[in-house]
């Protein structure tokens, strides 16, 4: 048995330990010893070592194994990709670990089994996933380098299959030799002479070259991109709304190609205000960079907008992709664009999308911290990440600049190249610089994981190159179909009103469950804040534990003007807790329509006919009608009697509207996408009573509702029993039914409307 580094082990972050059967002897190592080893022997794994991904840990352990004289393989995992938290633990073992399994045929006859090299070796390294500040990283929790077999020498270990690798340059050279008609042995001898190595000392063997040539016959990268164009042409013939574009180089080879689907263009019209352009992956089968445009809809689900394959990663390639995508979307540029920290892409966006606010994904930046700072900071690394995340989440620019200087002094990072670069680009990633722009929640870790899972499904489609674009279309269609199935139950699901606030009741009937949940989080936190009047229409709102500071809220009710210095509404489209606190203390029971963005409303959906949009003046009236309808529903569902009155009067109004003459020009001008039935969520009030309602728009259903006779009870007139609502009656602000400008008009009084 060869002696190696002694095995060390500690408990994993998820609370599980290695069993004695797995480990043998257990040796505890304090953190100080661990950190000291990192600087003395850089290639030896140690407990607590951090990696940004499983692949990074595998490559490191593979380098260590090659130096020692063995190879490794991936072994057991805990968890599964795409299920729950995904893979949370991974074991890498020596290639001779475990024992061979006897294979039996169907008729129970023992088959001839090849001789196996496995001998039960217990050398291994275990990594466990740990999420800090919404960014995951992998840490070594167990390591053993004790083998029960002889280790190979340096000239022998290179012959192990794991290390018989062929570099991309060697692959290109072998391909050129094959086209010239050279034999495999001639190729090897020529490459030995070029590299100046002894006979048989190349890092790959004759068998490896023959396998590579066979793969060239199966996957011809010169022809496959041409097949990709043929696929796009086929889809264009089947669906004229399918769009694609490509560019060929001087040798008539595919250089770039981009495409999108009809459904994606419609989604972009409604939800293309905030977009993620992911360029973190390559399509290995084509050896091209894969770029995917995605966003989020009003239910918080991933929306696919388009794909691009780029041969090179430079400003010209990215500019072509951005220009082509904007052409697909009829020239409409996104308000905000979230990408990786890629300088070439940054320059291309500045050229092609100058009016778009460009930002870097903080998840991608923090994922690099383990490589940048773990060795440099040592035991202070966790404190650094905590301070950085707090600084990143600040609200005011002045606070950010002051805190940044303090953090640099604390950790002595003034001259660090990564810190200098981060500070120079702070307006692309720090929230104080991004809050004035709408990002629809795309900066959150939850949305990043959802988008990454969707892109991984696209990457899996390259297993069938002959129909890659069709595979992507099927993935997009499945994603849209699955989203639609989830949206229907969400519209009918029970919504619990947790505060009893009229604002909450109104928002529950307008916003989607996803957006309502975000608003409800702010409503629950609002009572923790105190509101002070500074000037007319100006308030200072701060947490009850704060002595100084706070947010400045401007709330001019008569003009329906609301703003907060935290910029939460501008950033997410949801009113913040500070504004909600001011509205509550000023007896406001209704959120103005302009602060309930249509992209978060339940009736927000892709237009079925993009060329026909409502005229501006009709849009305002439609918005007013929607607000009035929401208010009617909120008032009528309190009792069965109110609901009966509402249904009866609504049927009368609908009958009267249908009796009016229909204008052909008006019908062409006004296009209002309204579903056949208005499905509203169940609402549970503070008493626990669940109220579920679905209002059919068909006249037949309304008239068929059995209405009860409404008689005065206990001699009290029903008109006096109706609760007086101090909020708004028509969706406008700061008035009720007694002085409503709509109700008080000469031609639009209560009797004329017939349902108020």
């Amino acid at each position: 048995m060869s002696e190696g580094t002694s095995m060390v082990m500690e408990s994993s972050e998820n609370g599980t330990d290695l069993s004695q059967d797995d480990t043998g002897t257990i040796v505890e190592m304090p953190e100080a010893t661990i950190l000291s080893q990192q600087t003395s022997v850089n290639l030896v794994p140690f407990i607590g070592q951090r990696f940004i991904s499983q692949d990074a840990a595998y490559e490191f352990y593979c380098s260590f194994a090659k130096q020692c004289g063995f190879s490794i393989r991936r072994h057991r995992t805990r968890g599964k990709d795409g299920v729950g938290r995904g893979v949370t633990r991974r074991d890498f073992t020596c290639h001779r670990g475990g024992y061979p399994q006897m294979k039996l045929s169907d008729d129970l006859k023992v088959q001839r089994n090849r001789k196996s090299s496995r001998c039960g070796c217990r050398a291994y390294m275990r990594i466990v996933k740990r999420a800090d500040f919404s960014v995951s990283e992998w840490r070594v929790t167990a390591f053993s380098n004790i083998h029960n077999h002889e280790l190979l020498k340096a000239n022998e270990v290179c012959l192990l299959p794991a290390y018989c690798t062929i570099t991309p340059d060697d692959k290109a050279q072998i391909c050129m030799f094959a086209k010239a008609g050279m034999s495999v042995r001639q190729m090897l001898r020529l490459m030995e002479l070029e590299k100046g190595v002894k006979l048989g000392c190349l890092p790959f063997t004759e068998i490896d070259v023959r396998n590579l040539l066979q793969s060239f016959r199966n996957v011809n990268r010169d022809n496959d991109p041409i097949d990709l164009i043929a696929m796009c042409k086929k889809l264009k013939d089947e669906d004229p709304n399918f769009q694609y574009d490509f560019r060929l180089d001087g040798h008539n080879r595919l250089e770039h190609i981009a495409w999108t689907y009809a459904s994606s263009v419609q989604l972009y019209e409604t939800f293309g205000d905030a977009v993620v352009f992911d360029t973190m992956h390559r399509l290995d089968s084509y050896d091209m960079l894969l770029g995917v445009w995605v966003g989020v809809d009003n239910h918080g689900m991933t929306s696919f907008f388009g794909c691009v394959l780029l041969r090179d990663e430079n400003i010209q390639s990215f500019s072509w992709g951005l220009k082509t995508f904007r052409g697909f979307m009829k020239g409409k540029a996104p308000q905000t664009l979230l990408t990786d920290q890629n300088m070439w892409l940054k320059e291309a966006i500045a050229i092609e999308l100058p009016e778009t606010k460009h930002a870097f994904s903080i998840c991608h930046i923090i994922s690099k911290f383990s490589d940048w700072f773990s060795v440099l900071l040592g035991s202070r690394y966790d404190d650094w990440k905590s301070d950085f995340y707090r600084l990143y989440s600040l609200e005011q620019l002045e606070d950010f600049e002051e805190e940044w200087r303090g953090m640099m002094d604390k950790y002595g990072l003034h001259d660090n190249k990564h810190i200098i670069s981060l500070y120079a680009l702070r307006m692309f990633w720090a929230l104080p610089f991004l809050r004035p722009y709408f990002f629809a929640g795309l900066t959150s870790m939850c949305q990043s994981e959802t988008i990454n899972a969707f892109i991984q499904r696209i990457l899996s489609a390259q297993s069938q190159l002959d129909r890659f674009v069709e595979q992507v279309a099927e993935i997009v269609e499945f994603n849209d179909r699955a989203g639609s199935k989830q949206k229907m139950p969400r519209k009918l699901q029970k919504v619990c009103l947790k505060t009893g606030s009229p604002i909450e009741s109104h928002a529950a009937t307008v916003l989607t469950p996803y957006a309502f949940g975000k608003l409800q989080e702010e409503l629950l936190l609002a009572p923790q804040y105190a509101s002070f009047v500074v000037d007319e229409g100006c308030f200072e709102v701060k947490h009850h534990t704060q002595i100084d500071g706070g947010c400045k809220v401007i709330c001019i009710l008569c003009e329906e003007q609301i703003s907060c210095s935290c910029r939460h509404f501008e950033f997410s489209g949801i009113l913040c807790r500070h504004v909600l606190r001011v509205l509550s203390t000023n007896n406001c029971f209704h959120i103005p329509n302009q602060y309930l963005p249509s992209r978060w409303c339940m009736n927000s959906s892709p237009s079925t006919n993009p060329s026909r949009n409502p005229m501006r003046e009709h849009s305002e009236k439609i918005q007013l009608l929607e607000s009035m309808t929401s208010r009617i529903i909120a008032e009528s569902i309190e009792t069965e009697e109110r609901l009966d009155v509402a249904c009866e009067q609504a049927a009368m109004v609908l009958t009267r509207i249908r009796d009016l003459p229909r204008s052909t020009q008006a019908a062409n001008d006004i296009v209002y996408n309204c579903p056949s039935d208005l499905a509203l969520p169940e609402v549970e009030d503070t008493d626990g009573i669940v109220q579920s309602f679905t209002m059919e728009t068909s006249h037949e259903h309304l008239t068929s509702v059995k209405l009860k006779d409404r008689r005065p009870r206990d001699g009290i007139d029903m008109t006096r029993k109706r609760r007086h609502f101090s909020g708004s009656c028509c969706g406008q602000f700061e008035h009720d039914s007694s002085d409503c400008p709509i109700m008080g008009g000469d031609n639009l009084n209560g009797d004329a409307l017939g349902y108020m």
Side-chain angles (χ1 to χ4, degrees):
M1 178 187 301
S2 63
E3 296 296 334
T5 306
S6 60
M7 189 276 296
V8 292
M9 175 264 179
E10 68 177 13
S11 299
S12 62
E13 280 79 353
N14 55 15
T16 60
D17 298 337
L18 287 173
S19 64
Q20 186 68 22
D21 296 335
D22 291 337
T23 63
T25 307
I26 298 177
V27 180
E28 297 291 341
M29 179 174 286
E31 186 173 0
T33 307
I34 296 170
L35 295 171
S36 64
Q37 277 194 359
Q38 187 174 24
T39 57
S40 60
V41 185
N42 288 329
L43 285 180
V44 178
F46 58 91
I47 302 299
Q49 188 174 8
R50 302 174 178 91
F51 300 96
I52 62 174
S53 64
Q54 300 179 54
D55 294 336
Y58 177 83
E59 292 176 4
F60 178 86
Y61 190 37
C62 189
S63 299
F64 168 77
K66 186 175 182 180
Q67 181 183 8
C68 293
F70 68 99
S71 64
I72 65 173
R73 58 184 173 86
R74 293 176 173 86
H75 192 39
R76 293 174 299 184
T77 63
R78 171 169 293 169
K80 185 178 180 181
D81 287 327
V83 179
R85 296 190 302 163
V87 176
T88 58
R89 193 182 78 182
R90 165 76 74 176
D91 289 353
F92 304 117
T93 64
C94 174
H95 73 289
R96 302 194 66 177
Y99 296 95
Q101 300 291 330
M102 297 296 293
K103 298 180 181 179
L104 300 178
S105 61
D106 295 338
D107 54 359
L108 300 181
K109 292 182 179 180
V110 179
Q111 293 183 342
R112 178 175 64 87
N113 288 272
R114 293 181 179 180
K115 185 177 180 180
S116 175
S117 63
R118 297 192 180 187
C119 59
C121 180
R122 292 177 177 267
Y124 77 105
M125 184 180 79
R126 171 171 294 176
I127 57 174
V128 173
K129 186 178 182 180
R130 180 177 177 181
D132 289 336
F133 312 108
S134 301
V135 178
S136 59
E137 64 181 11
W138 294 82
R139 296 191 180 186
V140 177
T141 60
F143 168 66
S144 172
N145 197 35
I146 300 177
H147 301 264
N148 61 356
H149 57 89
E150 293 293 332
L151 299 179
L152 301 177
K153 298 179 181 179
N155 60 343
E156 298 173 337
V157 70
C158 63
L159 299 178
L160 291 174
Y163 303 126
C164 290
T165 57
I166 306 178
T167 64
D169 292 338
D170 289 340
K171 289 180 180 179
Q173 195 170 21
I174 291 172
C175 182
M176 182 180 63
F177 291 159
K179 291 180 179 179
M182 295 176 60
S183 66
V184 174
R185 293 185 180 180
Q186 289 174 334
M187 296 179 193
L188 293 175
R189 184 53 183 159
L190 183 57
M191 297 182 74
E192 289 170 351
L193 293 174
E194 288 180 347
K195 296 179 180 293
V197 299
K198 296 181 181 179
L199 187 65
C201 290
L202 288 173
F204 46 86
T205 64
E206 181 180 340
I207 296 178
D208 299 321
V209 176
R210 295 188 183 278
N211 290 336
L212 178 65
L213 293 176
Q214 182 61 37
S215 68
F216 282 152
R217 298 185 184 97
N218 294 335
V219 180
N220 190 329
R221 287 181 178 172
D222 289 336
N223 294 330
D224 280 333
I226 304 302
D227 295 338
L228 195 62
I229 299 175
M231 280 185 258
C232 291
K233 186 178 184 303
K234 175 185 175 184
L235 288 178
K236 183 69 174 180
D237 294 338
E238 296 174 354
D239 181 8
N241 293 321
F242 173 80
Q243 300 186 55
Y244 75 101
D245 194 6
F246 63 91
R247 172 183 287 180
L248 302 178
D249 61 12
H251 301 284
N252 206 31
R253 294 180 303 180
L254 180 64
E255 188 174 8
H256 313 308
I257 186 169
W259 69 92
T260 187
Y261 308 98
S263 61
S264 302
V265 176
Q266 293 180 3
L267 283 171
Y268 184 84
E269 291 180 2
T270 306
F271 307 114
D273 43 11
V275 176
V276 173
F277 185 31
D278 189 288
T279 57
M280 292 289 293
H281 307 278
R282 293 191 69 88
L283 207 61
D284 295 331
S285 301
Y286 294 114
D287 191 25
M288 299 178 78
L289 179 74
L290 174 67
V292 182
W293 287 280
V294 292
V296 61
D297 65 7
N298 55 342
H299 290 271
M301 298 180 179
T302 302
S303 298
F304 174 86
F305 296 143
C307 256
V308 64
L309 290 175
L310 304 174
R311 179 67 63 187
D312 302 313
E313 189 174 355
N314 52 40
I315 296 178
Q316 293 74 21
S317 298
F318 285 127
S319 295
W320 182 91
L322 294 169
K323 186 184 299 182
T324 303
F325 175 74
R326 188 170 183 175
F328 290 161
M329 303 305 168
K330 304 174 184 177
K332 178 182 177 181
Q335 298 178 19
T336 55
L337 186 63
L338 201 64
T339 71
D340 183 33
Q341 188 178 350
N342 187 308
M343 294 300 103
W344 290 317
L345 180 57
K346 171 181 172 294
E347 295 299 326
I349 292 173
I351 297 171
E352 301 298 336
L353 303 174
E355 67 275 24
T356 298
K357 175 58 181 176
H358 179 208
F360 296 148
S361 172
I362 190 64
C363 300
H364 293 158
I365 293 177
I366 296 182
S367 66
K368 302 173 183 177
F369 280 3
S370 59
D371 284 346
W372 290 353
F373 305 116
S374 61
V375 176
L376 180 64
L377 297 176
S379 59
R380 298 190 300 168
Y381 174 68
D382 289 336
D383 294 335
W384 147 261
K385 287 202 342 181
S386 178
D387 290 344
F388 180 88
Y389 194 77
R390 178 181 53 82
L391 182 146
Y392 157 77
S393 304
L394 291 175
E395 295 176 353
Q396 303 300 325
L397 296 178
E398 298 79 7
D399 296 338
F400 175 86
E401 297 292 346
E402 182 179 354
E403 292 284 340
W404 181 271
R405 290 191 294 269
M407 189 172 66
M408 295 305 100
D409 294 336
K410 178 179 178 181
Y411 295 98
L413 297 174
H414 293 281
D415 299 328
N416 184 272
K417 63 179 182 180
H418 301 298
I419 289 295
I420 295 174
S421 175
L422 282 175
Y423 183 75
L425 298 171
R426 61 192 182 281
M427 65 288 301
F428 288 91
W429 58 265
L431 286 186
F433 296 89
L434 302 180
R435 292 188 188 278
Y437 305 93
F438 179 70
F439 280 90
L442 291 173
T443 58
S444 67
M445 184 62 183
C446 179
Q447 285 294 347
S448 298
E449 291 180 349
T450 302
I451 291 172
N452 186 66
F454 176 77
I455 294 175
Q456 290 298 327
R457 293 201 297 271
I458 293 179
L459 288 171
S460 66
Q462 63 179 313
S463 58
Q464 297 184 22
L465 295 178
D466 56 340
R467 52 187 304 269
F468 176 72
V469 181
E470 293 179 348
Q471 285 280 86
V472 175
E474 292 174 2
I475 293 172
V476 172
E477 183 180 359
F478 175 81
N479 183 73
D480 295 341
R481 188 166 58 248
S484 300
K485 290 182 179 179
Q486 293 185 33
K487 291 173 187 177
M488 292 307 297
R490 288 186 183 188
K491 291 181 180 179
L492 300 175
Q493 71 181 358
K494 180 178 68 176
V495 176
C496 297
L497 303 183
K498 300 178 181 179
T499 67
S501 167
I503 290 179
E504 186 183 24
S505 302
H506 173 239
T509 63
V510 178
L511 300 177
T512 63
Y514 171 79
F516 175 71
K518 299 295 182 182
L519 180 67
Q520 198 172 52
E521 292 175 3
E522 299 297 318
L523 278 169
L524 291 173
L525 294 173
Q528 300 179 13
Y529 290 77
S531 174
F532 305 94
V533 178
V534 177
D535 198 355
E536 183 178 359
C538 181
F539 302 84
E540 183 182 30
V541 181
K542 58 185 178 182
H543 197 267
H544 69 93
T545 60
Q546 282 184 294
I547 299 177
D548 300 322
C551 292
K552 181 180 179 181
V553 175
I554 303 298
C555 185
I556 304 177
L557 302 179
C558 59
E559 299 179 4
E560 298 185 6
Q561 178 183 349
I562 302 174
S563 66
C564 180
S565 60
C566 74
R567 302 280 188 156
H568 187 270
F569 177 77
E570 290 83 352
F571 186 66
S572 64
I574 302 295
L575 285 180
C576 64
R577 62 201 70 172
H578 314 111
V579 168
L580 293 173
R581 177 60 176 168
V582 171
L583 292 178
S584 176
T585 55
N586 285 273
N587 301 322
C588 299
F589 308 110
H590 195 96
I591 299 178
N593 292 328
Q594 61 266 36
Y595 297 102
L596 293 173
S598 59
R599 73 111 58 219
W600 292 134
C601 294
M602 285 187 287
N603 60 358
S604 178
S605 60
S607 174
T608 57
N609 190 351
S611 63
R612 297 174 63 188
N613 293 323
M615 297 175 63
R616 184 178 302 275
E617 59 272 18
H618 294 309
S619 298
E620 295 175 357
K621 293 180 180 179
I622 291 173
Q623 189 177 17
L624 176 61
L625 182 60
E626 288 177 340
S627 179
M628 295 171 65
T629 304
S630 300
R631 193 67 259 159
I632 292 171
I633 295 174
E635 289 288 329
S636 62
I637 63 174
E638 294 186 0
T639 64
E640 183 179 2
E641 188 172 13
R642 286 188 173 200
L643 190 60
D644 291 341
V645 173
C647 292
E648 181 184 27
Q649 297 298 324
M652 294 170 57
V653 172
L654 186 59
T655 302
R656 183 173 179 179
I657 291 174
R658 287 180 172 176
D659 291 340
L660 296 175
R662 184 185 300 272
S663 172
T664 304
Q665 181 178 0
N668 293 332
D669 289 342
I670 302 176
V671 179
Y672 178 56
N673 295 321
C674 182
S676 60
D677 58 340
L678 179 61
L680 298 173
E682 294 183 356
V683 179
E684 181 175 342
D685 59 17
T686 54
D687 297 329
I689 302 175
V690 179
Q691 300 164 334
S692 177
F693 46 90
T694 301
M695 182 176 177
E696 299 286 338
T697 58
S698 62
H699 173 63
E700 291 77 7
H701 176 77
L702 290 172
T703 55
S704 64
V705 176
K706 182 178 180 181
L707 303 177
K708 294 183 178 180
D709 295 335
R710 294 174 301 285
R711 301 184 180 91
R713 297 180 182 177
D714 300 329
I716 302 176
D717 187 7
M718 291 302 297
T719 58
R720 297 180 59 189
K721 282 188 63 179
R722 186 172 62 186
R723 182 168 64 100
H724 177 72
F725 179 61
S726 59
S728 60
C729 58
C730 67
Q732 301 301 309
F733 215 69
E734 273 295 293
H735 63 265
D736 56 26
S737 58
S738 62
D739 58 347
C740 175
I742 301 298
M743 295 292 297
D746 296 334
N747 299 324
L748 289 175
N749 53 29
D751 295 333
L753 285 173
Y755 54 79
M756 298 301 291

